Amino acid sequence: MTGEMEQLEQLCAAVPSPDRQRLAAARAQLSTAIRRETAGHAARRPRLAVSLALRHRRLGRRWLGWAAPVAAAAAVTGVILGGQGVFSPVRHPVPSSSARDPRLGPGHPATAYVAGQSGTVTPILTAAGTALKPIRIGKEYGQISSAIVFGPDGKTAYVLSSTVIGGGSGTVTPIRTATNTALKPITVGQDPRALAITPDGATIYVTNYQSDTVTPIRTATNTALAPIRVGGNPWAIAITPDGKTAYVADTHSGMVTPIRIATNTTLTPIRVGRFPQTIAITPDGRTAYVLNEGPGTVTPILTATGTVLKPIKVPAGSFSMAMTPDGKTIYVLDLGSSQDQEGMVIPIRTATNTALRPIPIGHAWPSTINIAITPDSRTAYVANASTGTVTPIRTATGTALTKIRLAGGAGPIAITPDGRTAYVIAGSGPGRTGTVIPIRTATNQALRAITVGNLPSVIAITPAPRR
Amino acid sequence: MLFDRHAPAIGRYIARRLGPDAADDLVAETFLAAFRRRDHYDLTQGDARPWLYGIATRLIGRHRRQEVRFFLAIARTGVDPAAEPVTDQVIDRIAAQGARRELAAALARLSQDQRDVLLLVASGLGYEETALALAVPAGTVSSRLVRARRKVREALGGQDPTRPGEDAP
């Protein structure tokens, strides 16, 4: 370290920490902005407002001041503002091996694809539990892959990536699963968040959070079509099993916008609740369920008429949900709204639209919970990132089985089509080896960790045996 | 949690580059952007630090001219509004002011990319963390840093007789 670096460090070290008053003001400003955003009734671009506030401080403060605080947003706010110690990742030595794990037994040729910030996608042969050579899809650190879908024949994986920090155009990279080669990335809108594919595999829809649009992609040619304008800040998207309608949750406007797939035109938006966050459609296509993060409700929509049924109340910390493949149960994930409350999984019986007794899964707030359900709908695997544990839940009785502790952590999960193995993203974080840990579902035993690209954030498995 | 743990450091970083008043708003804005991207952060559950510095750097980049003006003002007056009032001996203070003026002038002349790398590293981020923050490969961080340091060294070189020890390689 020579002179100029020391001087620069001194220059930086000379700056005192903001005093308590300043921090409190920033905290209040942030909390108001988050409440506004989750409330969904604010002006379009809070970010712009804060930038303006830089130049017109007083005006800026007043501008942020007139938002009514929304108590229900407390849990959402908690992710950034509240709690203690929950964000520190669980750190254990991670055993790793690329050798075949004999305990996996005979299997099928399904392949798991793991992506994140490494600019690569790592295929894992799920039958053997071995990682193949990573497929490069972009620059290291330049982007984050956040979602993967497959064509119905399993021949192509589509990987959605956006810039790490947010803003800027995103891409969808098709990967041929037979050869594990990446095709040319398809550019979509600003800050894409989610994608869904039609049951016939002809079209992919990508929600562009900052562009307020949905980009259709024709898979035959891998070309993006004209973006479809939807409501404010679209995030979740789901397509009906008949492939006729896509439902898009506009987080900003508290609406769900249906898109007619035949014409790529929007239908009349349906008012749900503040900050609609997740959409799940029953296998019969009759009902779309929307989780509203703001008020903590699940709104059933009858797809035939667009009629909204009575919202089902769920805890305030509910932020995501998943439906069993048979469509009988929805599991709502609740982080708990303070560090004194455990994270919960709330089953909703779709036959009656009633919430059943919550199942505690340990302290989760304000980190995250992921879920995957076996194809036979019998077991839900719930990963708690705070505790680094996976809780299997028997769906028939709603009982939690013994927690499975994973070395490294417990992030997103995917289950093989034969239901034999759950793959959990375990190792993540700068400077740490990215790892995935298989869990054998017959015994709920964790197997050897598999090394993948660094900072993995998404895992998905080909839908059915290939060939 | 994220706020309580990281806001003081992020506040210092922004104050270093844009002054303490601008920092107040940008701290809130950094964490608001973090809130919007919480899906990505939650998934990776790693250390949030580089990610937050990256967002702050991106936001500072929108106020490039203001940053240059801020450093030029320090270069002109020798007064650093971001720094704690100096309580050292008078001699040290004068010496420090001289060096500070040269340093601020050099920083004002750097490209935004170079300033980003230099000030992230000087704020205590490692190369790997800086690479994550700027969403560039680690090699790019090294090469930018080498160029930025050379520029600053040239700007300081031989112009600061009050600190003879600083020119040693």
Side-chain angles (χ1 to χ4, degrees), chain B residues 23-46:
Chain B
D24 289 354
D25 286 319
L26 282 197
V27 166
E29 205 182 339
T30 298
F31 283 86
L32 180 61
F35 165 76
R36 291 214 183 94
R37 305 308 297 171
R38 70 195 184 284
D39 56 330
H40 286 178
Y41 173 64
D42 285 347
L43 288 171
T44 54
Q45 52 141 338

Side-chain angles (χ1 to χ4, degrees), chain A residues 167-411:
Chain A
S169 298
T171 54
V172 171
T173 307
I175 292 174
R176 292 261 173 264
T177 57
T179 54
N180 285 324
T181 46
L183 306 182
K184 198 166 148 276
I186 304 148
T187 302
V188 294
Q190 301 264 309
D191 208 356
R193 292 294 166 95
L195 79 174
I197 189 163
T198 52
D200 63 4
T203 316
I204 289 170
Y205 290 88
V206 180
T207 55
N208 304 307
Y209 185 81
Q210 294 289 349
S211 311
D212 298 342
T213 57
V214 170
T215 303
I217 293 171
R218 184 172 290 150
T219 57
T221 54
N222 284 331
T223 47
L225 307 180
I228 305 159
R229 184 150 289 278
V230 291
N233 299 139
W235 194 318
I237 181 164
I239 295 174
T240 52
D242 64 9
K244 286 186 177 163
T245 316
Y247 288 88
V248 178
D250 302 323
T251 55
H252 191 89
S253 48
M255 309 276 246
V256 165
T257 303
I259 294 173
R260 180 174 297 164
I261 286 171
T263 56
N264 282 338
T265 49
T266 57
L267 306 175
T268 312
I270 302 156
R271 180 161 294 283
V272 285
R274 292 188 306 272
F275 215 73
Q277 182 62 33
T278 316
I279 306 177
I281 299 176
T282 51
D284 62 13
R286 282 191 191 158
T287 317
Y289 288 87
V290 182
L291 171 70
N292 307 301
E293 201 176 347
T297 54
V298 174
T299 305
I301 300 170
L302 296 181
T303 54
T305 55
T307 315
V308 167
L309 302 184
K310 188 167 167 273
I312 304 152
K313 187 74 196 125
V314 290
S318 302
F319 71 103
S320 182
M321 64 181 187
M323 186 184 277
T324 53
D326 63 14
K328 286 184 181 162
T329 316
I330 292 170
Y331 290 95
V332 175
L333 308 179
D334 164 31
L335 283 179
S337 50
S338 78
Q339 53 184 330
D340 307 323
Q341 274 176 281
E342 272 192 75
M344 296 280 178
V345 176
I346 299 100
I348 290 177
R349 186 171 289 155
T350 55
T352 55
N353 286 341
T354 47
L356 307 180
R357 193 165 45 86
I359 304 153
I361 53 142
H363 287 279
W365 192 77
S367 194
T368 198
I369 307 170
N370 284 280
I371 187 168
I373 300 161
T374 53
D376 62 9
S377 298
R378 285 164 82 166
T379 316
Y381 285 84
V382 181
N384 181 338
S386 291
T387 56
T389 55
V390 175
T391 306
I393 293 173
R394 286 239 180 288
T395 57
T397 55
T399 43
L401 306 182
T402 310
K403 288 186 176 65
I404 306 155
R405 180 163 294 282
L406 298 186

Side-chain angles (χ1 to χ4, degrees), chain A residues 1-18 22-30 33-34 37-38 45-48 50-51 53-55 57 61 64 76-91 117 139-146 162-168 191-193 209-210 233 235 275 277 293 319 335 366-368 370 385-386 408-412 425-432 454-458, chain B residues 1-18 20-59 62-63 66 71 74 80-85 99-104 107 110 117-124 127-129 131-138 145-146 148-150 152-153 156 160 163 165-169:
Chain A
M1 182 95 15
T2 51
E4 78 280 354
M5 222 47 227
E6 278 167 14
Q7 289 191 41
L8 280 161
E9 278 170 12
Q10 282 165 14
L11 193 75
C12 290
V15 183
S17 285
R22 286 202 129 114
L23 280 176
R27 194 180 224 283
Q29 194 178 340
L30 171 64
I34 290 179
E37 186 141 330
T38 48
R45 289 280 176 270
R47 180 203 279 176
L48 184 73
V50 184
S51 292
L54 188 68
R55 266 161 274 158
R57 293 176 47 77
R61 282 280 153 70
L64 286 164
V76 185
T77 316
V79 174
I80 300 296
L81 285 170
Q84 255 197 345
V86 193
F87 257 114
S88 33
V90 184
R91 288 181 196 275
Q117 292 186 48
K139 284 187 206 156
E140 197 176 10
Y141 304 130
Q143 60 186 35
I144 180 164
S145 299
S146 57
S162 53
T163 55
V164 173
I165 295 157
D191 208 356
R193 292 294 166 95
Y209 185 81
Q210 294 289 349
N233 299 139
W235 194 318
F275 215 73
Q277 182 62 33
E293 201 176 347
F319 71 103
L335 283 179
S367 194
T368 198
N370 284 280
S386 291
I425 291 183
S428 190
R432 301 177 66 209
N454 282 338
L455 296 163
S457 54
V458 60
Chain B
M1 167 57 194
L2 202 60
F3 185 88
D4 291 340
R5 183 157 143 198
H6 295 288
I10 296 291
R12 290 178 69 193
Y13 172 65
I14 300 171
R16 172 67 281 152
R17 300 190 58 175
L18 291 172
D21 286 344
D24 289 354
D25 286 319
L26 282 197
V27 166
E29 205 182 339
T30 298
F31 283 86
L32 180 61
F35 165 76
R36 291 214 183 94
R37 305 308 297 171
R38 70 195 184 284
D39 56 330
H40 286 178
Y41 173 64
D42 285 347
L43 288 171
T44 54
Q45 52 141 338
D47 184 0
R49 199 165 85 124
W51 179 62
L52 290 168
Y53 273 93
I55 295 170
T57 304
R58 177 77 73 95
L59 294 174
R62 293 199 193 138
H63 304 285
Q66 190 178 335
F71 282 124
I74 297 172
D80 181 359
E84 225 147 7
R100 181 191 295 150
R101 292 172 73 156
E102 300 302 334
L103 206 54
L107 282 170
L110 292 179
V117 168
L118 210 52
L119 291 174
L120 283 171
V121 172
S123 297
Y127 283 23
E128 174 90 0
E129 286 181 305
L132 272 171
L134 297 175
V136 297
L145 192 63
V146 165
R149 286 181 62 174
R150 192 193 302 134
V152 173
R153 195 159 50 229
L156 298 177
D160 188 11
R163 309 196 73 164
E166 293 296 333
D167 286 337

Side-chain angles (χ1 to χ4, degrees), chain A residues 13-153:
Chain A
V15 183
S17 285
D19 59 35
R20 210 177 296 166
Q21 225 174 339
R22 286 202 129 114
L23 280 176
R27 194 180 224 283
Q29 194 178 340
L30 171 64
S31 129
T32 312
I34 290 179
R35 283 198 190 107
R36 292 178 64 81
E37 186 141 330
T38 48
H41 56 63
R44 293 307 307 275
R45 289 280 176 270
R47 180 203 279 176
L48 184 73
V50 184
S51 292
L52 282 173
L54 188 68
R55 266 161 274 158
H56 309 286
R57 293 176 47 77
R58 253 152 234 240
L59 195 69
R61 282 280 153 70
R62 206 181 315 138
W63 186 91
L64 286 164
W66 46 251
V70 179
V76 185
T77 316
V79 174
I80 300 296
L81 285 170
Q84 255 197 345
V86 193
F87 257 114
S88 33
V90 184
R91 288 181 196 275
H92 300 295
V94 179
S96 171
S97 168
S98 61
R100 189 183 188 286
D101 194 321
R103 290 168 296 180
L104 281 160
H108 56 82
T111 307
Y113 289 86
V114 185
Q117 292 186 48
S118 57
T120 60
V121 179
T122 307
I124 296 171
L125 299 176
T126 61
T130 53
L132 301 180
K133 192 167 159 277
I135 307 155
R136 182 145 297 281
I137 61 161
K139 284 187 206 156
E140 197 176 10
Y141 304 130
Q143 60 186 35
I144 180 164
S145 299
S146 57
I148 301 174
V149 295
F150 296 95
D153 57 8

Side-chain angles (χ1 to χ4, degrees), chain B residues 66-139:
Chain B
Q66 190 178 335
E67 184 181 16
V68 170
R69 274 202 303 273
F70 178 63
F71 282 124
L72 286 177
I74 297 172
R76 213 168 36 244
T77 61
V79 177
D80 181 359
E84 225 147 7
V86 182
T87 51
D88 308 323
Q89 292 177 343
V90 179
I91 303 238
D92 281 352
R93 186 158 76 217
I94 291 164
Q97 270 188 12
R100 181 191 295 150
R101 292 172 73 156
E102 300 302 334
L103 206 54
L107 282 170
R109 280 195 293 270
L110 292 179
S111 73
Q112 193 74 14
D113 284 350
Q114 291 170 336
R115 223 169 14 240
D116 287 347
V117 168
L118 210 52
L119 291 174
L120 283 171
V121 172
S123 297
L125 267 72
Y127 283 23
E128 174 90 0
E129 286 181 305
T130 303
L132 272 171
L134 297 175
V136 297

